[in-house]
Amino acid sequence: MAEALSTGLGEEKEKEDREREKKAATAGKSKEKDGVTETLGFNDKNGASRGKKSNLSDLSLVRFITTELTRGYFLEHNEAKYTERRERVYTCLRIPKELEKLMTFGFFLCLDAFLYVFTLLPLRVILALLRLFTVPCCGLSGSRLLQPAQVCDVLKGFIMVLCYSMMSYVDYAMMYHLIRGQSVIKLYIIYNMLEVADRLFSSFGQDILDALYWTATEPKEKKRAHIGVIPHFLMAVLYVFLHAILIMVQATTLNVAFNSHNKSLLTIMMSNNFVEIKGSVFKKFEKNNLFQMSNSDIKERFTNYILLLIVCLRNMEQFSWNADHLWVLFPDVVMVIASEVAVDVVKHAFITKFNDISADVYGEYRASLAFDLVSSRQKNAYTDYSDSVSRRMGFIPLPLALLLIRVVTSSVKIQGSLSFMCVLLFYLGMITLKVLNSIVLLGTSCVFVKEANMEEKLFDPPPVASSRANSRAHRTKHVHVSPQQESTADKGETSLPSDISQPTNTAENAAPSFPKSDSDTFLTTPDEEDDDKIINADTGLEGGGLAHRPPKKDLLEIDRFTICGNRID
């Protein structure tokens, strides 16, 4: 028995010794790898021999706090991330400067188109009418009575005269008291509805005017596909009149807000601008969409300036043109303008931040607007400059100019020869301002176009406008093969339909090829690439089939009314 117990105890000691040797071996390996084994903030120097006493002695609150206060990290381990964040901050800081450059340039573009209605348009209408009456008397029957541009000018003049005569029957004072009798909340809702209606009127109104101009100047040899010039003219007159009434209601509502005692309506109307941030900042924007929003902001800011001018004129008339009352209105005017500028800056800063858009894009927007101005001065121009501004920004000067004429003529009484002399001098001053503004804008635009390397595009023919639906149908038409053609192909014949026999010529006739430049690298819509990939995958086109692809839509082919739900079609 004694021998059996001694052998059992010896085996247990040998097992314990083996376990201790294994633990010591593992502890040695960990020391070789890490130098000192660290477990939960303390060093296991003697392995399992010291055990729980060492663990409890190293677990202290002071040691934990010391570790939290002295631990370090290195930002340079993720240098690219922090550099990108810093560039975003710099981009946000650059946005106000670049945005205001674009806004200032766009403001003077709108001012030039607006002054054109008051200054050069009447003179052009007079010259066109003189030509209309003198050409038949001189016996020049072979030549055209009026050039297309003169026809458009005469139509604009007739529209302004007829609409002004209709506006003379609208009582501004009655409209003011009718709006003033409404509650504050109702006026706030009315003002929001008027803003939406103004955008809808601008969108459809320019189409009406363009349809009128083309119907009146369309070559006679073409087949008639319209309802006639007179119906189009009546639609244009009705549109300009209704749009002018709409802007008059906007100006009257703003006037009521200025004259309210507690200024609550004005505060609510200004807060409406900040609601615009919520509706725009958290949406996805491409650079083309941001260009549309910038144009819309330019038009909105210029329109607000004219509305403020109308409000000041009406209030000054009510106070017998007392200059002291102007200083009473001045703080409210500054507050409205400052809120508009602040909202635009914050909105564009966060849109560029969230969509990773560089601040340099606003320089490219200026170059695109400058290209419109320079191209309208070319011999091969296909539109008037004021019309190109209307299409690009959605700013139609005719209704706004009509309302301003109506307000000025009702507010200012002209009596005596001295008053007529003052009016004549004021008209000459507006012509001088228009000419100087046009000269400065033209020189600045030439600089912008040259910096963007867009001079070659000035000599290209105008782009062919085509929708995406038409382009898709056009491409599917080219790749369609009838069963008869398949049978002829099986027989070894080489006859192909005329649409795909000369793909290169067809593509060249469809649209001109524009030279590429650094400023145009972003001017394409990403959706077109996906559509082309899908179509090529379905039809199996490779290589030569790409010749039928229409040119991608760039910034010069996009106007204000191609945007729908913040998406470029």
Side-chain angles (χ1 to χ4, degrees):
M1 291 293 291
E3 294 176 357
L5 291 172
S6 63
T7 55
L9 293 173
E11 290 177 357
E12 290 179 357
K13 290 181 179 180
E14 290 178 359
K15 289 181 180 180
E16 291 178 357
D17 293 335
R18 290 175 184 175
E19 290 177 358
R20 289 177 182 176
E21 289 176 359
K22 289 181 180 179
K23 290 181 179 180
T26 55
K29 292 180 180 179
S30 62
K31 287 181 179 180
E32 291 177 358
K33 292 181 180 178
D34 302 328
V36 178
T37 305
E38 296 181 1
T39 57
L40 297 177
F42 61 88
N43 299 331
D44 190 3
K45 297 182 180 179
N46 298 323
S49 60
R50 302 184 62 175
K52 296 181 180 180
K53 294 181 179 180
S54 177
N55 295 343
L56 294 175
S57 63
D58 290 339
L59 283 176
S60 64
L61 180 61
V62 176
R63 183 177 180 83
F64 177 78
I65 295 176
T66 304
T67 304
E68 289 296 318
L69 293 177
T70 58
R71 68 184 179 89
Y73 49 87
F74 298 93
L75 299 181
E76 61 189 19
H77 291 166
N78 199 351
E79 181 179 356
K81 173 184 175 182
Y82 292 104
T83 303
E84 181 183 358
R85 298 294 173 85
R86 184 174 62 187
E87 291 300 326
R88 288 185 180 181
V89 174
Y90 291 164
T91 299
C92 290
L93 295 178
R94 288 180 57 197
I95 288 299
K97 178 182 177 182
E98 298 296 329
L99 178 63
E100 289 307 314
K101 286 182 180 179
L102 176 64
M103 289 291 178
T104 303
F105 184 70
F107 171 81
F108 284 104
L109 291 179
C110 293
L111 180 63
D112 192 64
F114 190 66
L115 290 176
Y116 172 81
V117 180
F118 298 98
T119 57
L120 299 185
L121 181 60
L123 299 179
R124 290 175 63 92
V125 171
I126 293 174
L127 292 177
L129 292 177
L130 289 177
R131 176 183 172 85
L132 181 63
F133 292 117
T134 55
V135 168
C137 297
C138 297
L140 301 176
S141 58
S143 60
R144 301 180 60 173
L145 291 178
L146 293 177
Q147 298 297 324
Q150 293 176 327
V151 173
C152 295
D153 293 334
V154 171
L155 290 175
K156 290 178 184 178
F158 285 163
I159 289 173
M160 292 293 293
V161 171
L162 289 177
C163 291
Y164 178 77
S165 62
M166 296 167 64
M167 287 285 292
S168 61
Y169 294 98
V170 179
D171 192 353
Y172 187 89
M174 183 187 68
M175 183 182 297
Y176 176 82
H177 291 288
L178 181 64
I179 294 176
R180 189 174 185 179
Q182 307 299 323
S183 61
V184 175
I185 300 300
K186 187 181 293 185
L187 289 179
Y188 173 70
I189 296 174
I190 290 174
Y191 193 79
N192 288 335
M193 293 174 60
L194 291 175
E195 285 188 345
V196 175
D198 179 56
R199 296 181 181 181
L200 296 177
F201 267 79
S202 299
S203 176
F204 190 60
Q206 188 58 39
D207 293 338
I208 292 176
L209 295 176
D210 288 340
L212 172 63
Y213 301 152
W214 174 241
T215 304
T217 60
E218 187 178 8
K220 302 299 181 182
E221 59 269 11
K222 289 191 175 183
K223 183 180 179 181
R224 176 172 175 173
H226 54 81
I227 59 177
V229 178
I230 295 179
H232 279 285
F233 180 76
L234 295 178
M235 283 192 296
V237 171
L238 181 63
Y239 154 71
V240 174
F241 175 72
L242 293 179
H243 199 174
I245 294 294
L246 178 67
I247 300 175
M248 177 181 283
V249 177
Q250 276 186 293
T252 307
T253 307
L254 188 61
N255 195 7
V256 171
F258 268 71
N259 294 330
S260 60
H261 297 289
N262 53 4
K263 305 294 183 182
S264 59
L265 179 59
L266 183 61
T267 305
I268 293 175
M269 291 169 63
M270 288 173 55
S271 65
N272 188 38
N273 293 331
F274 292 91
V275 177
E276 185 180 355
I277 297 178
K278 177 183 177 182
S280 302
V281 166
F282 301 105
K283 292 182 179 179
K284 182 180 179 181
F285 276 84
E286 299 291 340
K287 294 183 179 180
N288 289 339
N289 302 101
L290 183 59
F291 179 56
Q292 297 295 334
M293 174 170 285
S294 302
N295 290 335
S296 179
D297 292 338
I298 293 171
K299 176 253 181 184
E300 182 179 357
R301 186 177 294 189
F302 184 83
T303 304
N304 288 337
Y305 291 160
I306 301 299
L307 292 180
L308 290 175
L309 176 61
I310 293 174
V311 170
C312 292
L313 288 176
R314 296 299 301 177
N315 280 275
M316 293 295 291
E317 180 199 4
Q318 296 299 323
F319 287 89
S320 301
W321 300 97
N322 186 5
D324 296 335
H325 185 69
L326 183 62
W327 296 106
V328 176
L329 297 174
F330 185 74
D332 295 333
V333 173
V334 172
M335 186 169 56
V336 171
I337 295 176
S339 66
E340 186 73 24
V341 174
V343 167
D344 289 340
V345 169
V346 172
K347 179 175 63 176
H348 283 264
F350 280 96
I351 286 176
T352 53
K353 178 183 181 297
F354 292 151
N355 295 276
D356 196 16
I357 300 175
S358 174
D360 297 332
V361 73
Y362 292 100
E364 299 173 356
Y365 295 162
R366 289 199 309 269
S368 178
L369 296 177
F371 183 86
D372 290 339
L373 175 60
V374 177
S375 61
S376 65
R377 309 291 181 177
Q378 300 294 318
K379 294 182 180 180
N380 59 346
Y382 57 92
T383 183
D384 185 67
Y385 167 67
S386 60
D387 294 329
S388 65
V389 172
S390 301
R391 297 185 189 96
R392 180 74 70 177
M393 300 182 182
F395 172 68
I396 304 177
L398 293 182
L400 198 60
L402 179 65
L403 176 61
L404 186 59
I405 294 173
R406 171 71 175 82
V407 171
V408 170
T409 53
S410 62
S411 301
V412 179
K413 304 299 180 183
I414 302 175
Q415 296 177 353
S417 58
L418 183 60
S419 299
F420 283 102
M421 290 296 297
C422 292
V423 171
L424 180 60
L425 292 176
F426 182 74
Y427 179 71
L428 294 177
M430 284 198 304
I431 292 179
T432 305
L433 178 62
K434 168 67 174 66
V435 172
L436 292 177
N437 187 39
S438 298
I439 293 173
V440 174
L441 279 178
L442 185 59
T444 307
S445 300
C446 291
V447 173
F448 290 155
V449 170
K450 186 176 181 180
E451 290 177 352
N453 298 324
M454 301 169 66
E455 303 97 323
E456 296 180 359
K457 292 185 179 182
L458 293 173
F459 306 99
D460 290 334
V464 178
S466 60
S467 62
R468 291 180 64 186
N470 293 335
S471 63
R472 290 177 180 175
H474 183 68
R475 285 177 286 186
T476 55
K477 175 182 176 182
H478 284 310
V479 300
H480 176 70
V481 180
S482 62
Q484 297 178 356
Q485 295 169 357
E486 291 180 355
S487 62
T488 56
D490 294 336
K491 293 179 183 179
E493 297 179 1
T494 58
S495 61
L496 293 174
S498 59
D499 292 337
I500 61 175
S501 60
Q502 296 178 350
T504 305
N505 296 334
T506 306
E508 291 178 355
N509 295 331
S513 59
F514 294 111
K516 297 294 182 180
S517 63
D518 295 336
S519 62
D520 299 332
T521 55
F522 75 96
L523 304 179
T524 57
T525 305
D527 296 338
E528 293 290 340
E529 298 178 359
D530 299 336
D531 295 339
D532 294 334
K533 292 179 181 178
I534 294 172
I535 292 175
N536 291 333
D538 295 337
T539 58
L541 285 179
E542 294 182 358
L546 298 178
H548 299 292
R549 182 183 301 173
K552 296 177 181 179
K553 185 177 292 185
D554 64 6
L555 204 62
L556 300 177
E557 299 177 13
I558 298 173
D559 55 39
R560 172 66 181 88
F561 310 116
T562 57
I563 186 171
C564 180
N566 290 328
R567 182 175 183 271
I568 298 294
D569 289 332

